[in-house]
Coordinates of all heavy atoms in Angstrom, one line a residue:
M1056 N 15.8 -4.2 -11.5 CA 15.7 -3.5 -10.3 C 14.5 -3.9 -9.5 O 13.4 -4.1 -10.1 CB 15.7 -2.0 -10.6 CG 15.5 -1.1 -9.3 SD 15.5 0.6 -9.7 CE 15.8 1.2 -8.1
I1057 N 14.6 -4.0 -8.2 CA 13.5 -4.4 -7.4 C 13.0 -3.1 -6.7 O 13.8 -2.5 -6.0 CB 13.8 -5.5 -6.4 CG1 14.1 -6.8 -7.2 CG2 12.7 -5.7 -5.4 CD1 14.5 -8.0 -6.3
H1058 N 11.7 -2.8 -6.8 CA 11.2 -1.7 -6.1 C 10.6 -2.1 -4.8 O 10.1 -3.3 -4.7 CB 10.1 -1.0 -7.0 CG 10.6 -0.6 -8.3 ND1 11.2 0.6 -8.6 CD2 10.7 -1.3 -9.5 CE1 11.6 0.7 -9.8 NE2 11.3 -0.5 -10.4
N1059 N 10.5 -1.3 -3.8 CA 9.9 -1.7 -2.5 C 9.2 -0.5 -1.8 O 9.4 0.6 -2.2 CB 11.0 -2.3 -1.6 CG 12.0 -1.2 -1.1 OD1 11.6 -0.5 -0.2 ND2 13.2 -1.2 -1.6
R1060 N 8.4 -0.9 -0.9 CA 7.7 0.0 0.0 C 8.1 -0.2 1.4 O 7.2 0.1 2.3 CB 6.2 -0.2 -0.2 CG 5.7 0.4 -1.5 CD 4.2 0.4 -1.5 NE 3.7 1.3 -2.6 CZ 2.5 1.3 -3.1 NH1 1.7 0.4 -2.6 NH2 2.1 2.1 -4.0
L1061 N 9.3 -0.6 1.7 CA 9.7 -0.8 3.1 C 9.6 0.4 3.9 O 9.1 0.4 5.0 CB 11.1 -1.3 3.1 CG 11.3 -2.8 2.8 CD1 12.8 -3.1 2.8 CD2 10.6 -3.7 3.7
N1062 N 10.1 1.6 3.4 CA 10.0 2.8 4.2 C 8.6 3.2 4.5 O 8.3 3.6 5.7 CB 10.7 3.9 3.4 CG 10.8 5.2 4.2 OD1 9.8 5.9 4.3 ND2 11.9 5.4 4.8
L1063 N 7.7 3.0 3.6 CA 6.3 3.3 3.9 C 5.7 2.4 5.0 O 5.1 3.0 6.0 CB 5.5 3.1 2.6 CG 4.0 3.2 2.7 CD1 3.6 4.7 2.9 CD2 3.3 2.7 1.5
Y1064 N 5.9 1.1 4.9 CA 5.4 0.2 5.9 C 6.1 0.5 7.3 O 5.5 0.4 8.3 CB 5.6 -1.2 5.5 CG 4.5 -1.7 4.6 CD1 4.6 -1.6 3.2 CD2 3.3 -2.2 5.1 CE1 3.6 -2.0 2.4 CE2 2.3 -2.6 4.3 CZ 2.4 -2.5 2.9 OH 1.4 -2.9 2.1
R1065 N 7.4 0.7 7.2 CA 8.2 0.9 8.5 C 7.7 2.1 9.2 O 7.4 2.1 10.4 CB 9.7 1.0 8.1 CG 10.6 1.1 9.4 CD 12.0 1.2 9.0 NE 12.4 2.3 8.2 CZ 12.5 3.6 8.6 NH1 12.3 3.9 9.8 NH2 12.8 4.5 7.7
T1066 N 7.6 3.2 8.5 CA 7.2 4.5 9.1 C 5.7 4.4 9.6 O 5.4 5.0 10.6 CB 7.5 5.7 8.2 OG1 6.8 5.5 7.0 CG2 8.9 5.9 8.0
E1067 N 4.9 3.8 8.8 CA 3.5 3.6 9.2 C 3.3 2.9 10.5 O 2.5 3.2 11.3 CB 2.7 2.9 8.0 CG 1.3 2.7 8.3 CD 0.6 2.0 7.2 OE1 0.7 0.7 7.2 OE2 0.0 2.6 6.3
R1068 N 4.2 1.9 10.7 CA 4.2 1.1 11.9 C 5.0 1.8 13.1 O 5.0 1.2 14.2 CB 4.7 -0.3 11.7 CG 4.0 -1.1 10.6 CD 2.7 -1.6 11.1 NE 1.9 -2.1 10.0 CZ 1.8 -3.4 9.7 NH1 2.4 -4.3 10.5 NH2 1.0 -3.8 8.7
G1069 N 5.6 2.9 12.8 CA 6.4 3.6 13.8 C 7.7 2.9 14.2 O 8.1 3.0 15.3
L1070 N 8.3 2.1 13.3 CA 9.5 1.4 13.6 C 10.7 2.2 13.1 O 10.7 2.8 12.0 CB 9.5 0.1 12.9 CG 8.5 -1.0 13.3 CD1 8.5 -2.2 12.4 CD2 8.7 -1.4 14.8
S1071 N 11.8 2.2 13.8 CA 13.0 2.7 13.4 C 13.7 1.7 12.5 O 13.3 0.5 12.5 CB 13.9 3.1 14.5 OG 14.4 1.9 15.2
R1072 N 14.7 2.1 11.8 CA 15.5 1.1 11.0 C 16.1 0.1 11.9 O 16.1 -1.1 11.6 CB 16.5 1.8 10.2 CG 16.0 2.5 9.0 CD 17.1 3.2 8.2 NE 16.5 3.8 7.0 CZ 17.1 4.7 6.2 NH1 18.4 5.0 6.5 NH2 16.5 5.2 5.2
K1073 N 16.6 0.5 13.1 CA 17.2 -0.4 14.0 C 16.2 -1.4 14.5 O 16.5 -2.6 14.6 CB 17.8 0.4 15.2 CG 18.5 -0.5 16.2 CD 19.1 0.4 17.3 CE 19.7 -0.6 18.3 NZ 20.2 0.1 19.5
E1074 N 15.0 -1.0 14.9 CA 13.9 -1.9 15.4 C 13.6 -2.9 14.3 O 13.4 -4.1 14.7 CB 12.7 -1.1 15.8 CG 12.9 -0.2 17.1 CD 11.8 0.7 17.3 OE1 11.2 1.3 16.4 OE2 11.5 1.0 18.5
L1075 N 13.4 -2.5 13.1 CA 13.0 -3.4 12.0 C 14.2 -4.4 11.8 O 14.0 -5.6 11.7 CB 12.7 -2.7 10.7 CG 12.3 -3.5 9.6 CD1 11.2 -4.5 9.9 CD2 12.0 -2.7 8.3
A1076 N 15.4 -3.9 11.8 CA 16.6 -4.8 11.6 C 16.6 -5.8 12.7 O 16.9 -7.0 12.4 CB 17.8 -3.9 11.6
E1077 N 16.3 -5.5 13.9 CA 16.4 -6.4 15.0 C 15.3 -7.5 14.8 O 15.5 -8.7 15.1 CB 16.2 -5.7 16.4 CG 17.4 -4.9 16.8 CD 17.1 -4.1 18.0 OE1 16.0 -4.0 18.5 OE2 18.1 -3.4 18.5
R1078 N 14.1 -7.1 14.3 CA 13.1 -8.1 14.1 C 13.4 -9.1 13.0 O 12.8 -10.2 13.0 CB 11.8 -7.4 13.8 CG 11.2 -6.6 15.0 CD 9.8 -6.1 14.7 NE 9.3 -5.3 15.8 CZ 8.1 -4.9 15.9 NH1 7.2 -5.2 14.9 NH2 7.7 -4.2 16.9
V1079 N 14.2 -8.7 12.0 CA 14.5 -9.6 10.9 C 15.9 -10.1 11.0 O 16.4 -10.7 10.0 CB 14.1 -9.0 9.5 CG1 12.6 -8.8 9.4 CG2 14.9 -7.7 9.3
D1080 N 16.6 -9.7 12.0 CA 18.0 -10.2 12.3 C 19.0 -9.8 11.2 O 19.7 -10.6 10.6 CB 18.0 -11.8 12.5 CG 19.2 -12.3 13.1 OD1 19.9 -11.5 13.9 OD2 19.6 -13.4 12.8
V1081 N 19.0 -8.5 10.9 CA 20.0 -7.9 10.0 C 20.6 -6.7 10.6 O 20.1 -6.2 11.6 CB 19.5 -7.6 8.6 CG1 19.0 -8.9 7.9 CG2 18.4 -6.6 8.6
N1082 N 21.6 -6.1 10.0 CA 22.2 -4.9 10.4 C 21.3 -3.7 10.0 O 20.7 -3.8 8.9 CB 23.6 -4.8 9.7 CG 24.3 -3.6 10.2 OD1 23.9 -2.4 10.1 ND2 25.5 -3.8 10.7
P1083 N 21.1 -2.7 10.9 CA 20.3 -1.6 10.5 C 20.7 -0.9 9.1 O 19.8 -0.4 8.4 CB 20.5 -0.6 11.6 CG 20.9 -1.4 12.8 CD 21.7 -2.6 12.2
Q1084 N 22.0 -1.0 8.8 CA 22.4 -0.4 7.5 C 21.7 -1.2 6.4 O 21.4 -0.6 5.3 CB 23.9 -0.5 7.4 CG 24.6 0.5 8.2 CD 26.1 0.4 8.0 OE1 26.7 -0.7 8.0 NE2 26.8 1.5 7.9
T1085 N 21.5 -2.5 6.5 CA 20.9 -3.3 5.5 C 19.5 -2.7 5.2 O 19.1 -2.7 4.0 CB 20.8 -4.8 5.9 OG1 22.1 -5.2 6.2 CG2 20.1 -5.6 4.9
I1086 N 18.7 -2.4 6.2 CA 17.4 -1.8 6.0 C 17.5 -0.5 5.2 O 16.7 -0.3 4.3 CB 16.7 -1.5 7.4 CG1 16.5 -2.8 8.2 CG2 15.3 -0.9 7.1 CD1 15.8 -3.9 7.5
G1087 N 18.5 0.3 5.5 CA 18.7 1.6 4.7 C 19.0 1.3 3.3 O 18.5 1.9 2.4
F1088 N 19.9 0.3 3.1 CA 20.3 -0.1 1.7 C 19.0 -0.6 0.9 O 18.9 -0.3 -0.2 CB 21.4 -1.1 1.7 CG 22.7 -0.7 2.2 CD1 23.5 -1.5 2.9 CD2 23.2 0.6 1.9 CE1 24.8 -1.1 3.3 CE2 24.4 1.0 2.3 CZ 25.2 0.2 3.0
L1089 N 18.2 -1.4 1.6 CA 17.0 -1.9 1.0 C 16.1 -0.8 0.6 O 15.5 -0.7 -0.5 CB 16.3 -2.9 1.9 CG 16.9 -4.3 2.1 CD1 16.3 -5.0 3.3 CD2 16.8 -5.1 0.8
E1090 N 15.8 0.1 1.6 CA 14.9 1.2 1.3 C 15.3 2.1 0.2 O 14.5 2.6 -0.6 CB 14.7 2.0 2.6 CG 13.9 1.3 3.7 CD 13.7 2.1 4.9 OE1 14.3 3.2 5.1 OE2 12.9 1.7 5.8
R1091 N 16.6 2.3 0.0 CA 17.1 3.1 -1.1 C 17.2 2.4 -2.4 O 17.5 3.0 -3.4 CB 18.5 3.7 -0.7 CG 18.4 4.8 0.4 CD 19.7 5.5 0.6 NE 20.8 4.6 0.9 CZ 21.1 4.2 2.2 NH1 20.4 4.6 3.2 NH2 22.1 3.3 2.4
G1092 N 17.1 1.1 -2.4 CA 17.2 0.3 -3.6 C 18.6 0.0 -3.9 O 18.9 -0.4 -5.0
D1093 N 19.5 0.1 -2.9 CA 21.0 -0.2 -3.2 C 21.2 -1.6 -3.0 O 22.3 -2.1 -3.3 CB 21.8 0.6 -2.2 CG 21.7 2.1 -2.4 OD1 21.4 2.6 -3.5 OD2 22.0 2.9 -1.4
Y1094 N 20.3 -2.4 -2.5 CA 20.5 -3.8 -2.2 C 19.2 -4.5 -2.4 O 18.1 -4.0 -2.0 CB 20.9 -3.9 -0.7 CG 21.1 -5.3 -0.2 CD1 22.2 -6.1 -0.5 CD2 20.1 -5.8 0.7 CE1 22.3 -7.4 0.0 CE2 20.2 -7.1 1.2 CZ 21.3 -7.9 0.9 OH 21.5 -9.2 1.4
N1095 N 19.3 -5.7 -3.0 CA 18.1 -6.5 -3.2 C 18.1 -7.6 -2.1 O 19.1 -8.3 -1.9 CB 18.1 -7.2 -4.6 CG 17.9 -6.2 -5.7 OD1 17.2 -5.1 -5.5 ND2 18.4 -6.4 -6.8
P1096 N 16.9 -7.9 -1.5 CA 16.9 -8.8 -0.4 C 16.9 -10.3 -0.9 O 16.5 -10.5 -2.1 CB 15.5 -8.6 0.2 CG 14.7 -8.1 -0.9 CD 15.6 -7.3 -1.8
S1097 N 17.4 -11.1 -0.1 CA 17.3 -12.6 -0.4 C 15.8 -12.9 -0.3 O 15.0 -12.2 0.3 CB 18.2 -13.4 0.6 OG 17.6 -13.3 1.9
V1098 N 15.5 -14.1 -0.8 CA 14.1 -14.6 -0.6 C 13.8 -14.7 0.8 O 12.7 -14.3 1.3 CB 13.9 -15.9 -1.4 CG1 12.5 -16.5 -1.1 CG2 14.1 -15.7 -2.9
E1099 N 14.7 -15.2 1.6 CA 14.5 -15.4 3.0 C 14.2 -14.1 3.7 O 13.3 -13.9 4.5 CB 15.7 -16.1 3.7 CG 15.5 -16.3 5.2 CD 16.7 -17.0 5.8 OE1 17.7 -17.3 5.2 OE2 16.6 -17.1 7.1
L1100 N 15.0 -13.1 3.4 CA 14.8 -11.8 4.1 C 13.5 -11.1 3.6 O 12.8 -10.6 4.5 CB 16.0 -10.8 3.8 CG 16.0 -9.4 4.3 CD1 15.7 -9.5 5.9 CD2 17.2 -8.7 4.0
A1101 N 13.2 -11.2 2.4 CA 11.9 -10.7 1.9 C 10.7 -11.3 2.6 O 9.8 -10.7 3.0 CB 11.8 -10.9 0.4
L1102 N 10.8 -12.6 2.8 CA 9.7 -13.3 3.5 C 9.7 -12.9 5.0 O 8.6 -12.8 5.6 CB 9.9 -14.9 3.4 CG 9.7 -15.4 2.0 CD1 10.1 -16.9 2.0 CD2 8.2 -15.3 1.6
R1103 N 10.8 -12.7 5.6 CA 10.8 -12.3 7.0 C 10.3 -10.9 7.2 O 9.5 -10.6 8.1 CB 12.3 -12.3 7.6 CG 12.7 -13.7 8.0 CD 14.0 -13.8 8.8 NE 15.1 -13.8 7.8 CZ 16.3 -13.3 8.0 NH1 16.6 -12.7 9.1 NH2 17.2 -13.4 7.1
L1104 N 10.6 -10.0 6.2 CA 10.0 -8.7 6.3 C 8.5 -8.7 6.1 O 7.8 -8.0 6.8 CB 10.7 -7.8 5.2 CG 12.2 -7.4 5.5 CD1 12.9 -6.9 4.2 CD2 12.2 -6.3 6.6
A1105 N 8.1 -9.5 5.1 CA 6.6 -9.6 4.9 C 5.9 -10.1 6.1 O 4.8 -9.7 6.5 CB 6.4 -10.5 3.7
R1106 N 6.6 -11.0 6.8 CA 6.0 -11.6 8.1 C 5.8 -10.5 9.1 O 4.8 -10.4 9.8 CB 6.8 -12.7 8.6 CG 6.2 -13.4 9.9 CD 7.0 -14.5 10.4 NE 7.0 -15.6 9.5 CZ 7.8 -16.7 9.6 NH1 8.8 -16.7 10.5 NH2 7.6 -17.7 8.8
V1107 N 6.9 -9.7 9.3 CA 6.8 -8.6 10.3 C 5.6 -7.7 10.0 O 4.9 -7.3 10.9 CB 8.2 -7.8 10.3 CG1 8.0 -6.5 11.0 CG2 9.3 -8.6 10.8
F1108 N 5.4 -7.3 8.7 CA 4.3 -6.4 8.4 C 3.0 -7.1 8.1 O 2.0 -6.4 7.9 CB 4.8 -5.5 7.2 CG 5.9 -4.7 7.4 CD1 7.1 -4.8 6.8 CD2 5.9 -3.7 8.4 CE1 8.2 -4.0 7.0 CE2 7.0 -2.8 8.7 CZ 8.1 -3.0 8.0
E1109 N 3.0 -8.4 8.2 CA 1.8 -9.2 8.0 C 1.1 -8.9 6.7 O -0.1 -8.7 6.6 CB 0.8 -9.0 9.2 CG 1.4 -9.4 10.5 CD 0.5 -9.1 11.7 OE1 -0.2 -8.1 11.6 OE2 0.5 -9.9 12.6
V1110 N 2.0 -8.8 5.6 CA 1.5 -8.6 4.2 C 2.1 -9.6 3.3 O 3.2 -10.2 3.6 CB 1.8 -7.1 3.8 CG1 1.1 -6.1 4.6 CG2 3.3 -6.9 3.7
P1111 N 1.6 -9.8 2.1 CA 2.3 -10.7 1.1 C 3.5 -10.0 0.7 O 3.6 -8.7 0.7 CB 1.3 -10.8 0.0 CG 0.0 -10.1 0.4 CD 0.3 -9.4 1.7
V1112 N 4.5 -10.8 0.3 CA 5.8 -10.2 -0.2 C 5.5 -9.2 -1.4 O 6.2 -8.2 -1.5 CB 6.7 -11.4 -0.7 CG1 7.9 -10.8 -1.4 CG2 7.1 -12.3 0.4
E1113 N 4.5 -9.5 -2.2 CA 4.2 -8.6 -3.3 C 3.8 -7.2 -2.9 O 3.8 -6.3 -3.6 CB 3.1 -9.2 -4.2 CG 3.5 -10.5 -4.9 CD 3.3 -11.7 -4.0 OE1 2.8 -11.6 -2.9 OE2 3.6 -12.8 -4.5
A1114 N 3.3 -7.1 -1.6 CA 2.9 -5.8 -1.1 C 4.2 -4.9 -0.8 O 4.1 -3.7 -0.8 CB 2.1 -5.9 0.1
L1115 N 5.3 -5.6 -0.5 CA 6.5 -4.9 -0.2 C 7.5 -4.7 -1.4 O 8.2 -3.7 -1.5 CB 7.3 -5.7 0.9 CG 6.7 -5.7 2.3 CD1 7.5 -6.6 3.2 CD2 6.6 -4.3 2.9
F1116 N 7.5 -5.8 -2.3 CA 8.5 -5.8 -3.3 C 7.8 -6.0 -4.7 O 6.9 -6.7 -4.8 CB 9.6 -6.9 -3.1 CG 10.3 -6.7 -1.8 CD1 10.0 -7.4 -0.7 CD2 11.4 -5.8 -1.7 CE1 10.7 -7.2 0.5 CE2 12.1 -5.6 -0.6 CZ 11.7 -6.4 0.6
S1117 N 8.4 -5.4 -5.7 CA 7.9 -5.5 -7.1 C 9.0 -5.3 -8.1 O 9.9 -4.5 -7.9 CB 6.7 -4.5 -7.3 OG 6.3 -4.6 -8.6
L1118 N 8.8 -6.0 -9.2 CA 9.7 -5.8 -10.3 C 9.4 -4.5 -11.1 O 10.2 -3.9 -11.8 CB 9.7 -7.0 -11.3 CG 10.3 -8.3 -10.7 CD1 10.1 -9.4 -11.7 CD2 11.7 -8.1 -10.4
D1119 N 8.1 -4.1 -11.0 CA 7.6 -2.8 -11.6 C 7.5 -1.8 -10.5 O 7.2 -2.1 -9.4 CB 6.3 -3.1 -12.3 CG 6.4 -4.2 -13.3 OD1 7.3 -4.1 -14.1 OD2 5.5 -5.1 -13.4
P1120 N 7.6 -0.5 -10.9 CA 7.4 0.6 -9.9 C 6.0 0.5 -9.4 O 5.1 0.2 -10.1 CB 7.7 1.9 -10.7 CG 8.4 1.4 -11.9 CD 8.0 0.0 -12.2
F1121 N 5.9 0.8 -8.1 CA 4.6 0.9 -7.5 C 3.9 2.2 -7.9 O 4.6 3.2 -8.1 CB 4.7 1.0 -6.0 CG 5.0 -0.4 -5.4 CD1 6.3 -0.6 -5.0 CD2 4.1 -1.4 -5.2 CE1 6.7 -1.9 -4.4 CE2 4.4 -2.6 -4.6 CZ 5.7 -2.8 -4.2
P1122 N 2.6 2.2 -8.1 CA 1.9 3.5 -8.4 C 2.0 4.5 -7.2 O 2.2 4.0 -6.1 CB 0.4 3.1 -8.7 CG 0.3 1.7 -8.2 CD 1.6 1.1 -8.0
S1123 N 2.0 5.7 -7.5 CA 2.2 6.7 -6.4 C 1.0 6.6 -5.5 O -0.1 6.3 -5.9 CB 2.3 8.1 -7.0 OG 1.0 8.6 -7.4
L1124 N 1.2 6.9 -4.2 CA 0.1 6.9 -3.3 C -0.9 7.9 -3.6 O -2.1 7.7 -3.4 CB 0.7 7.1 -1.9 CG 1.5 5.9 -1.3 CD1 2.1 6.3 0.0 CD2 0.7 4.7 -1.2
A1125 N -0.5 9.1 -4.1 CA -1.5 10.1 -4.5 C -2.4 9.6 -5.5 O -3.6 9.8 -5.4 CB -0.7 11.3 -5.0
S1126 N -1.9 8.9 -6.5 CA -2.8 8.4 -7.6 C -3.8 7.3 -7.0 O -4.9 7.2 -7.4 CB -2.0 7.9 -8.8 OG -1.3 6.7 -8.4
Q1127 N -3.3 6.5 -6.1 CA -4.1 5.5 -5.5 C -5.2 6.1 -4.6 O -6.3 5.6 -4.6 CB -3.3 4.5 -4.7 CG -2.4 3.5 -5.6 CD -1.7 2.5 -4.8 OE1 -1.0 2.9 -3.9 NE2 -1.8 1.3 -5.1
L1128 N -4.8 7.1 -3.9 CA -5.8 7.8 -3.0 C -6.9 8.5 -3.9 O -8.0 8.5 -3.5 CB -5.1 8.8 -2.1 CG -4.3 8.2 -1.0 CD1 -3.5 9.2 -0.2 CD2 -5.2 7.4 0.0
A1129 N -6.5 9.1 -5.0 CA -7.4 9.8 -5.9 C -8.4 8.8 -6.4 O -9.6 9.1 -6.5 CB -6.7 10.5 -7.0
T1130 N -8.0 7.6 -6.7 CA -8.9 6.5 -7.3 C -9.8 6.1 -6.2 O -11.0 5.9 -6.5 CB -8.0 5.3 -7.7 OG1 -7.1 5.7 -8.7 CG2 -8.9 4.2 -8.3
V1131 N -9.4 5.9 -5.0 CA -10.2 5.5 -3.9 C -11.2 6.6 -3.5 O -12.4 6.3 -3.2 CB -9.4 5.1 -2.6 CG1 -10.3 4.9 -1.4 CG2 -8.6 3.9 -2.9
A1132 N -10.8 7.9 -3.5 CA -11.6 9.0 -3.1 C -12.6 9.4 -4.1 O -13.6 10.1 -3.8 CB -10.7 10.2 -2.8
A1133 N -12.5 9.0 -5.4 CA -13.4 9.4 -6.5 C -14.7 8.7 -6.2 O -14.8 7.5 -6.1 CB -12.8 9.0 -7.8
P1134 N -15.8 9.5 -6.2 CA -17.1 8.9 -6.0 C -17.5 8.0 -7.2 O -17.2 8.3 -8.3 CB -18.0 10.1 -5.8 CG -17.4 11.2 -6.5 CD -15.9 10.9 -6.4
A1135 N -18.2 6.9 -6.9 CA -18.7 6.1 -7.9 C -19.9 6.8 -8.6 O -20.7 7.4 -7.9 CB -19.1 4.7 -7.4
P1136 N -20.0 6.6 -9.9 CA -21.2 7.2 -10.6 C -22.5 6.6 -10.1 O -22.5 5.4 -9.9 CB -20.9 7.0 -12.1 CG -19.9 5.9 -12.1 CD -19.2 5.9 -10.8
V1137 N -23.5 7.4 -10.0 CA -24.8 6.9 -9.7 C -25.5 6.5 -10.9 O -25.7 7.3 -11.8 CB -25.6 8.0 -8.9 CG1 -27.0 7.5 -8.6 CG2 -24.9 8.4 -7.7
P1138 N -26.0 5.2 -11.0 CA -26.6 4.8 -12.2 C -28.0 5.4 -12.3 O -28.7 5.5 -11.4 CB -26.8 3.2 -12.0 CG -26.7 3.0 -10.6 CD -25.8 4.1 -10.0
A1139 N -28.4 5.8 -13.5 CA -29.7 6.4 -13.8 C -30.7 5.3 -14.1 O -30.3 4.3 -14.8 CB -29.6 7.4 -14.9
V1140 N -31.9 5.5 -13.7 CA -32.9 4.5 -14.0 C -33.5 4.8 -15.4 O -33.9 3.9 -16.1 CB -34.0 4.5 -12.9 CG1 -35.2 3.6 -13.2 CG2 -33.4 4.1 -11.6
G1141 N -33.7 6.1 -15.7 CA -34.2 6.5 -16.9 C -33.6 7.8 -17.3 O -32.8 8.4 -16.5
P1142 N -34.0 8.4 -18.4 CA -33.5 9.7 -18.8 C -33.8 10.7 -17.8 O -35.0 10.8 -17.3 CB -34.1 10.0 -20.1 CG -34.9 8.8 -20.5 CD -34.9 7.9 -19.4
H1143 N -32.9 11.4 -17.3 CA -33.0 12.5 -16.3 C -33.7 12.1 -15.0 O -34.4 12.9 -14.4 CB -33.8 13.7 -17.0 CG -33.4 14.1 -18.3 ND1 -32.2 14.7 -18.5 CD2 -34.0 14.0 -19.5 CE1 -32.0 14.9 -19.8 NE2 -33.1 14.5 -20.4
S1144 N -33.4 10.9 -14.6 CA -34.0 10.4 -13.3 C -32.9 10.1 -12.3 O -31.8 9.9 -12.7 CB -34.9 9.2 -13.6 OG -34.0 8.1 -13.9
V1145 N -33.3 10.2 -11.1 CA -32.4 9.9 -9.9 C -33.1 8.7 -9.2 O -34.2 8.7 -8.9 CB -32.3 11.1 -9.0 CG1 -31.4 10.7 -7.8 CG2 -31.8 12.3 -9.7
P1146 N -32.3 7.6 -9.0 CA -32.9 6.4 -8.4 C -33.2 6.5 -6.9 O -32.7 7.4 -6.3 CB -31.8 5.3 -8.7 CG -30.5 6.1 -8.7 CD -30.9 7.4 -9.3
G1147 N -34.0 5.6 -6.4 CA -34.3 5.5 -5.0 C -35.2 6.6 -4.5 O -35.9 7.3 -5.2
L1148 N -35.2 6.8 -3.2 CA -36.1 7.8 -2.5 C -35.8 9.2 -3.0 O -36.8 9.9 -3.2 CB -35.8 7.7 -1.0 CG -36.7 8.7 -0.1 CD1 -38.2 8.4 -0.4 CD2 -36.3 8.5 1.3
L1149 N -34.5 9.5 -3.2 CA -34.2 10.8 -3.7 C -34.9 11.0 -5.1 O -35.4 12.1 -5.4 CB -32.7 11.1 -3.8 CG -32.2 12.4 -4.2 CD1 -32.7 13.5 -3.3 CD2 -30.7 12.5 -4.3
G1150 N -34.8 10.0 -5.9 CA -35.4 10.0 -7.2 C -36.9 10.3 -7.1 O -37.5 11.0 -7.9
H1151 N -37.6 9.6 -6.1 CA -39.0 9.8 -5.9 C -39.3 11.2 -5.5 O -40.3 11.8 -6.0 CB -39.5 8.8 -4.8 CG -40.9 9.0 -4.5 ND1 -41.9 8.5 -5.3 CD2 -41.5 9.5 -3.4 CE1 -43.1 8.8 -4.7 NE2 -42.9 9.4 -3.6
L1152 N -38.5 11.8 -4.7 CA -38.7 13.2 -4.3 C -38.4 14.2 -5.5 O -39.1 15.2 -5.6 CB -37.8 13.6 -3.1 CG -38.1 12.8 -1.8 CD1 -37.1 13.1 -0.8 CD2 -39.5 13.1 -1.3
L1153 N -37.4 13.9 -6.2 CA -37.0 14.8 -7.3 C -37.8 14.6 -8.6 O -37.9 15.5 -9.4 CB -35.5 14.7 -7.6 CG -34.6 15.2 -6.4 CD1 -33.1 15.0 -6.8 CD2 -34.9 16.7 -6.1
N1154 N -38.2 13.4 -8.8 CA -38.9 13.0 -10.0 C -40.3 12.3 -9.7 O -40.5 11.2 -9.9 CB -38.1 12.0 -10.9 CG -36.8 12.6 -11.3 OD1 -36.7 13.7 -11.7 ND2 -35.7 11.8 -11.1
P1155 N -41.2 13.1 -9.1 CA -42.5 12.5 -8.7 C -43.3 12.0 -9.9 O -43.1 12.5 -11.1 CB -43.2 13.7 -8.0 CG -42.6 14.9 -8.6 CD -41.2 14.6 -8.9
A1156 N -44.1 11.1 -9.7 CA -44.9 10.5 -10.7 C -45.9 11.6 -11.2 O -46.3 12.4 -10.5 CB -45.7 9.3 -10.2
P1157 N -46.2 11.6 -12.5 CA -47.1 12.6 -13.1 C -48.5 12.4 -12.4 O -48.9 11.4 -12.1 CB -47.1 12.3 -14.6 CG -46.3 11.1 -14.8 CD -45.7 10.7 -13.5
A1158 N -49.1 13.6 -12.2 CA -50.5 13.6 -11.7 C -51.4 13.0 -12.7 O -51.4 13.2 -13.8 CB -50.9 15.0 -11.3
S1159 N -52.4 12.2 -12.2 CA -53.4 11.6 -13.1 C -54.7 12.4 -13.1 O -55.0 13.1 -12.2 CB -53.7 10.2 -12.7 OG -53.3 9.7 -11.5

């Protein structure tokens, strides 16, 4: 089975099935069949679709299921850990304010 993200890219660009079909010279029903996974595109059609969306073919089609968008957004939204300079210290200016040098 070939998995795809055609519906995602099409709706993101504000295209109807008919408009996308016209751009790649197929019947609008073909776009619906592709989006539902009822039909696998030819190499030529896959390349034309990728050209319309200006993405690599692999961004549209995959042999493996795509990860859910929610899981991808959670990964992107997760803050990166702040590296510690020493035990119980905060780096940078904030560290200087929170961990002042001992008085001599």
